[in-house]
Amino acid sequence: MNQMGNITRLKTSWTKYDCVKVIEIIGNNELDLYLKKNEVIDHPVLKAYLGINSFDDTIPEYWSKIQEYPSQKRLFALAAGIFTHYENITMFSEGFATGNMVGVFRMVSGSKHMTNLRSALVVSGAAKNSFRRKEEVPYDLSSLYEEQEVGALFKKLLEDRLISVGYDRNYLSSNFLNICIDLNFHAALSLSIDQFNRWIEGKTISQKIEFNSDLGNLLTDKKIPVFKVKQWLTNWDEIDFNQSLRRKPDPYFFIFNIDIRLLKRLSDVHRRKANTRRADDASTQRGLDEKRSIEIKRFVQGGFPWSTLNDNARSSAENRHLQMPGILPTAIVANILGQGEHRGNNEIRIEDLIKIENTDSSIPSLVIPDCVFENDWEPHVKPIEIIDGQHRLMAFDETEIIDGNYEVPVVAYFNLDRAWQAYLFYVINIKPKKINTSLGYDLYPLLRTQNWLENTKDGLAVYRESRSQELVEALWMYDQSPWHNRINMLGSSDGNNMSQAAFIRALSDTYLKISTRRKVSGLFTDILPDKNGEEIRWVRAQQAAFLILLWEHIALQASSCTNPWAIALKQENKESIYYDSENARESNLKINDAFLSKNAMISRDQGVTGISMFTNDLFFVVANQFDDYDFNEVDWDGDIDERQIEVNSIDKAINQFKNTKLNSLIKDVAKELMNFDWRMPTAIFEDETQQNIQKKYKGTGGYREVWKEILKVFKASQNKILNKYASKLEELTN
């Protein structure tokens, strides 16, 4: 019997957008709807992804197991899709993948197959939304490999694929790795053979950074002498240290010097996992401004003013006299982790800990673990985390050779709790420099809820007053937002339903409000009192992404709605179809007059404010009262700029939300909102009674009336989950 199969038998057609749609289905955990045939999809495509011949077959367990890994499930589906067609495997292994978990997709033809592959990279989160129409699309699969258990699941999927094309099960069992290597499976996934082998065996892998072995010579005894600085007043003992995340710190800190490359290797600045940030995740430095690090690098090389010149001017001999030493004398502030500390779902390993010898002495020593100097060091958690100074570190590379010495001073604390790290960041970066205090709330979201900051005159008000304007601008400028170019930003009569001022007011009074009673408060601003004072740790780009995603679902649900109010608005001007969303086109949905008509309340002040009031309150209740959804499941990592709302950051954040259960809830909320009549009184009504009802929503008192009527809709919902949340909201607000 022939034990070998024929890989060319994998040839599911990629000419239908359904190949991309499956990734969204897996990402939204909606597979059951399609298996029960409640939703339409091309059956051969879905069966090929799942690895079944009939919908009566048992669905492989890895499709349910992958739902336990929200940041990996879309990438898992993407990889499964690549392995539905042998040409995909060939293109990725021989043309696109560049190794080290990344690659560059190229539109070698304008075929539908290639267009759908490009869309699949974007929808999965491997590539950014802004590359959806580009000829070359950089992609990154590294998040797929962050959870070791996912590799074992994908091994089972590959086994099923190989069996389906004729490989003997027993032969495959003993020759699996060799078969995969012969077929270039590892290269298609942009992995080395060793990485591929480790991953499918359920072991941790990470992107490779070769360590400069010369650094090992800097510390022949692996020890760094440090100065102990005692700083503690007796009356500080009276402070309450029993509060959550506020354990008593040591009465001293350390000062030492270290080669900046070695500090970077020891510090948790890069290689952050995207799905593991929890309440006890203490790193204050998350977003990275690459331009800033490049500027610092130029400054180090030639000082000021040489660093400010353009590339040609810096290379000119005429400007060589402008070069000065690029000295960085200010200390980097860091935290040395202690035994048992967790960051995300990971605990620092004992062998990765930095030990402190002779702490009773005035000059103790830091003992660096031997494993740090090994090329294959892959720590679960690094032993140092940066409180202030990330961009100085990122200006250097662990692998580079430095002609001379470049050490930096470090002020290091030992095992600080996260609230103290937030406090230190504030006193270092915000208070002394008088810069925008709003920055602090994003660099460490815990600051939003600290009483000592709320009571300062330049504290929380800055965050609340400025953030609403930033969010409205993001809704207006992001090209895949339903509000793109549809908010009147200048106060002119441009035909848009919503003015900037009205939208800002709608957000500042809802998502950015502070409730004195704190039963129902602002989702972006206040703590969750029933969750031990936890806060929702979204930075501004994530807040913007959440609102864009909510309104995208609302706009698309309205445009596809068949309720009488929506049909009536569409019929008022049958030729008026508005569309500018690539996502909308590819899912066969268009944003039309049910959302955009001048008679559609849903996109005017009354509707926008009413929806903002209700959705904020509902989501706050869900986050605060129930454990059904983890609002902090999305992570704030180095790809999201914490200082401003940029397109790339919104892209990343939207993909984060789409990888969570929360996206399905947002979609359900948007769908239920369609059971409210969203016509303005000026619309055409067959029933005068209904027209008179719509009149009660006019004026400032109308906002609360909209809120009340939406609550009734949700309480009467057939969706038992939404009904439960609405009932709790009513209980808390009566």
Side-chain angles (χ1 to χ4, degrees), residues 56-125:
D56 294 328
D57 293 348
T58 300
I59 306 301
E61 187 180 23
Y62 41 78
W63 289 112
S64 59
K65 287 286 188 182
I66 195 61
Q67 293 298 326
E68 299 174 12
Y69 304 94
S71 292
Q72 284 72 42
K73 58 185 179 180
R74 283 178 179 254
L75 289 169
F76 186 94
L78 167 69
I82 291 172
F83 284 86
T84 61
H85 200 301
Y86 74 95
E87 288 185 356
N88 291 350
I89 300 171
T90 301
M91 284 189 289
F92 275 86
S93 62
E94 298 180 3
F96 303 153
T98 57
N100 207 22
M101 307 181 186
V102 299
V104 179
F105 172 88
R106 294 177 178 85
M107 286 289 291
V108 294
S109 73
S111 68
K112 195 63 178 175
H113 186 143
M114 298 299 293
T115 301
N116 285 334
L117 273 180
R118 179 175 60 184
S119 295
L121 289 169
V122 172
V123 169
S124 69

Side-chain angles (χ1 to χ4, degrees), residues 182-213:
D182 289 342
L183 295 173
N184 242 2
F185 284 2
H186 63 289
L189 295 168
S190 209
L191 296 176
S192 67
I193 292 175
D194 180 63
Q195 286 175 322
F196 178 77
N197 187 32
R198 285 175 56 81
W199 185 56
I200 61 175
E201 294 303 321
K203 297 177 181 178
T204 302
I205 63 173
S206 60
Q207 288 178 300
K208 196 74 170 176
I209 297 181
E210 293 290 337
F211 186 50
N212 180 0
S213 59

Side-chain angles (χ1 to χ4, degrees), residues 46 200 265 300 325 383 513 562 612 675 701 713:
L46 182 58
I200 61 175
R265 184 163 179 83
V300 168
K513 68 182 179 180
T562 57
S612 298
N675 291 322
V713 168

Side-chain angles (χ1 to χ4, degrees), residues 532-561:
N532 298 317
E534 181 181 358
E535 77 286 348
I536 296 176
R537 300 181 299 277
W538 297 346
V539 297
R540 63 190 77 191
Q542 289 169 310
Q543 294 169 357
F546 177 84
L547 293 174
I548 289 170
L549 193 58
L550 171 63
W551 279 105
E552 178 183 338
H553 281 308
I554 290 172
L556 295 178
Q557 288 290 338
S559 299
S560 62
C561 183

Side-chain angles (χ1 to χ4, degrees), residues 177 200 290 382 475:
L177 180 60
I200 61 175
E290 293 185 5
K382 289 193 174 184
L475 284 161

Side-chain angles (χ1 to χ4, degrees), residues 381-428:
V381 177
K382 289 193 174 184
I384 292 178
E385 54 195 0
I386 302 302
I387 298 174
D388 183 64
Q390 173 182 255
H391 290 91
R392 276 167 277 172
L393 285 186
M394 296 307 292
F396 291 82
D397 193 307
E398 298 172 28
T399 65
E400 70 179 285
I401 303 296
I402 291 179
D403 185 11
N405 297 302
Y406 206 94
E407 296 179 335
V408 288
V410 178
V411 169
Y413 294 81
F414 179 73
N415 219 24
L416 274 184
D417 225 334
R418 61 189 293 263
W420 292 119
Q421 294 191 51
Y423 178 81
L424 279 173
F425 180 86
Y426 176 80
V427 298
I428 293 168

